[in-house]
Amino acid sequence: MLTYGFLKKFMVAVTQILFPFKLVRKEKVKDGACVLVGNHYRIWDIVHMACTTREKVHFITKKELYKNKFLAHLCDIVEAIPVSRDGQDAKAVMTALRYLKNGDKISMFPEGTRNRTDEDLLPLKGGAAMFAIKAKAPVYPVMCPHKTRLFRRTKILVGDPIDLSAFYDRRLTAEDYEEAEEIIREKMLETKRTAIEMFTKKKKKRQ
């Protein structure tokens, strides 16, 4: 029977062949509940999230994947959280919060789709801040500095935890959540800029 551990090892092996990568500063991700957020270029990006920790990561994924029986089976094995494209899915929200409150990790790509543009980051669809605030969990940005290329090694940077504790235990408005999402967006962009600067400097030193 397929297990999360087996699938993770298999996916990591395949990804390291096709789109090899190295996670930098993954030790920042501590045990226990957290929300992992990242920019999204390819479907393989989910592997970067899984490799930040030895613990299981519950992926928030689009419901359309469940139309394929094989993919649906894989999603069930890893206990993914299916959501509708409009984001109006109470069951998904409750499932994600239950995992977080049990001390588990969830991951998501808040852009909502793969970035096929030249923009550093697409507008965020929201959700990450709400999950983190309600579960009182930190948010970790896992950022790729550029679009991954076939057979070219890419370094992925894990940023500092994003602390949204200022929003805890308050009756929040839609504007409050928008403010929290903007904090996440800025930290994601900051981490990406840091990654570009850090990895460019190291590359120049080797030349």
Side-chain angles (χ1 to χ4, degrees), residues 9-24:
K9 289 179 181 178
F10 176 77
M11 291 299 294
V12 169
V14 172
T15 305
Q16 289 290 21
I17 293 172
L18 297 176
F19 297 98
F21 70 93
K22 178 182 179 181
L23 272 172
V24 178

Side-chain angles (χ1 to χ4, degrees), residues 177-194:
Y177 282 116
E178 287 177 6
E179 179 184 347
E181 290 289 351
E182 185 59 28
I183 291 173
I184 291 176
R185 176 180 171 80
E186 287 303 314
K187 290 296 183 180
M188 291 176 71
L189 286 169
E190 179 183 317
T191 302
K192 183 176 182 179
R193 288 192 292 266
T194 299

Side-chain angles (χ1 to χ4, degrees), residues 129-207:
M130 183 270 291
F131 290 135
I133 292 169
K134 287 186 177 295
K136 297 183 179 180
V139 181
Y140 292 94
V142 182
M143 301 299 292
C144 184
H146 53 73
K147 294 180 180 179
T148 52
R149 290 172 287 182
L150 195 64
F151 307 130
R152 295 288 297 273
R153 188 165 179 261
T154 299
K155 291 183 179 179
I156 313 297
L157 182 64
V158 178
D160 294 327
I162 303 169
D163 181 11
L164 298 177
S165 59
F167 296 90
Y168 295 173
D169 301 316
R170 290 169 45 192
R171 179 171 292 182
L172 302 179
T173 63
E175 289 73 22
D176 290 325
Y177 282 116
E178 287 177 6
E179 179 184 347
E181 290 289 351
E182 185 59 28
I183 291 173
I184 291 176
R185 176 180 171 80
E186 287 303 314
K187 290 296 183 180
M188 291 176 71
L189 286 169
E190 179 183 317
T191 302
K192 183 176 182 179
R193 288 192 292 266
T194 299
I196 293 172
E197 181 180 350
M198 179 190 303
F199 302 147
T200 299
K201 283 184 178 179
K202 288 184 178 180
K203 185 176 181 181
K204 286 181 178 179
K205 285 183 179 180
R206 291 196 300 267
Q207 292 176 343

Side-chain angles (χ1 to χ4, degrees), residues 93-105:
V93 171
M94 296 304 295
T95 300
L97 289 175
R98 184 177 74 250
Y99 283 137
L100 288 170
K101 291 179 179 179
N102 284 339
D104 294 343
K105 291 174 166 60

